[in-house]
Amino acid sequence: MKTITFLIVSLFAVLSVTGQNELKPKLHQLAREYENTNFHGVVLVAKNDKIITEEAFGHADQKTGKKNTTSTLFKTESTGKMITSVAVLQLVEAGKLDLQKTITDYWPESKIKKADKMTLHMLLTHQSGLTSPWERPGYEFKKYTKEEWWNIIETNPLAFDEPGKGVYYSSSAYEVLAAIVEKVSGLEFQQYCSKKIFAPAGMKNTFYTIDTASYFARGAKPYRWIGSQTFYEYPVNSLQAGGAGGWISCVEDFYRFAYALLNEKLISKKYLGLMMTPQVEMQRNKYGYALEIYTDLMVRGKTVYGHNGGGMGFSCDLFFEPETRTIVVTMLNMYGNSRYVTGNFMTVSFGNEAQKPEKDKRQALFDLINEKGLDDFDVHFSEYFKSIGMEQPSPFFLIGFADCYELLGQNENRKKFLITLEKIIPDNPVLYIQLGDVEVSENNKTAAKTYYLKARELSEKYDNQWLGEINSKLEGLE
């Protein structure tokens, strides 16, 4: 009997290794296709304790031609919210925190509005109503004192009048959670994470530092690709990483975090299950405790868990499928949505065909407009969209495209493009927020107010998630 069992186990081991060996060249080929379509970053694919492949593609530094490697460091953006969630759940498991207690139960002197009604559960699930610091009119990405930082969070308007009334993605909520971890544990947040999370997980290349990776010798520089030959390099700023994310790390360390999490080295099975339990509905997915939950999105018939992070020149993902313990980590040093890259590698890891990587359509549109001009685009925009393979681009795509002109310092072109969008997405509140921002930059407060009021009207009618930001901008005009 023991011999038969040994043979069966050996057979499965051989089949597993064979399957992984067959996957590796397919994953390598996919990485090369991404490199050929102007993607820059690193992807790791693993099955539980076996790393199948690590693929680096593109450049860490466009000016020097330095290539990305598997050890390149990236700013991991909001993926760090998972780390904060684990820290909170560790303290819940230890009996030091209660998810149904409020901010004031642990931080009595807090000046946050309605802190006595905001539970830790609400903070973890984006139901607190707190708006993020960068939604404040005139916010600058720079170094703030602790007092200045908390003053912004405390005085920003709430997204809705009562905590728990809605769902509004909030980085401020996770900053508050980190502060509570500090107060309860007696450790600085970075010290707590280093001792209780990074060390047990074996994460030796994760750093709590200023908001960029570029000053590290191994660090990637942050970019936004605007056209096929046009990019913007984000400047180094001094915003420190925190509970909302922003850790500097590499793909192997984030794999180690996922592996430790799945193997109950950080929190027990009970609390991992709680972390993975859907708590609220977001726009495109369900959300647990700092885990985005997607079913059928990356792999048909499978549910994956993880978090995306994106910001100024970086886009990162960590997602896992718990049944097979498939883990995919994506870190890109370019603005964009790494989730599609992650999804493609996840798809291949399950033996399915990848979608062929394509050149970013925003780059294609920019090249076309750059050739023919915005006046021509204003008249023939439908033909432009068809030429890049899009019948009707999403509002997110279009408004995101307008940001390119802002980065290039072409405010007039930004304004012209946004005015054209009034013909295309006239009921989108974010469009009018952007138009108001343009008028503010030109010191036209009356025109800005008109646009912001239009944005508020549309937000109240269609999508109230923008009300906090709009009201904050209106207050800033007074």
Side-chain angles (χ1 to χ4, degrees), residues 46 71 89 128 151 155 158 182 224 237 265 281 367 378 420:
S71 63
L89 291 174
S128 67
N151 180 63
T155 58
L158 299 178
E182 290 185 335
R224 177 157 181 171
N237 63 68
K265 295 179 182 294
E281 295 275 350
D367 289 346
D378 183 66
T420 298

Side-chain angles (χ1 to χ4, degrees), residues 96-111:
K96 296 181 179 181
L97 289 177
D98 184 329
L99 293 175
Q100 300 310 319
K101 288 192 175 181
T102 67
I103 295 171
T104 52
D105 286 322
Y106 301 106
W107 189 1
E109 68 276 20
S110 173
K111 297 178 183 177

Side-chain angles (χ1 to χ4, degrees), residues 109-154:
E109 68 276 20
S110 173
K111 297 178 183 177
I112 291 170
K113 298 172 184 176
K114 305 201 174 181
D116 61 332
K117 296 183 179 180
M118 291 181 187
T119 65
L120 305 193
H121 168 81
M122 291 175 186
L123 294 168
L124 283 165
T125 56
H126 302 291
Q127 296 182 87
S128 67
L130 290 171
T131 52
S132 298
W134 34 89
E135 295 175 40
R136 188 184 190 92
Y139 177 85
E140 296 180 56
F141 284 92
K142 64 178 185 180
K143 186 175 181 62
Y144 290 93
T145 65
K146 183 174 285 189
E147 291 74 21
E148 290 171 334
W149 183 246
W150 283 110
N151 180 63
I152 293 172
I153 293 174
E154 291 162 355

Side-chain angles (χ1 to χ4, degrees), residues 344-382:
N344 229 1
F345 278 91
M346 185 74 78
T347 294
V348 173
S349 73
F350 277 89
N352 301 317
E353 288 297 317
Q355 291 187 351
K356 187 173 179 61
E358 296 180 346
K359 176 183 177 182
D360 185 275
K361 293 186 185 299
R362 285 196 186 103
Q363 295 178 35
L365 181 60
F366 181 87
D367 289 346
L368 200 56
I369 292 175
N370 203 38
E371 178 186 342
K372 297 186 177 182
L374 280 164
D375 290 334
D376 187 74
F377 173 76
D378 183 66
V379 178
H380 304 294
F381 56 81
S382 294

Side-chain angles (χ1 to χ4, degrees), residues 425-440:
I425 49 172
D427 295 330
N428 188 280
V430 184
L431 167 61
Y432 297 97
I433 293 174
Q434 294 256 355
L435 281 165
D437 291 347
V438 171
E439 297 297 345
V440 167

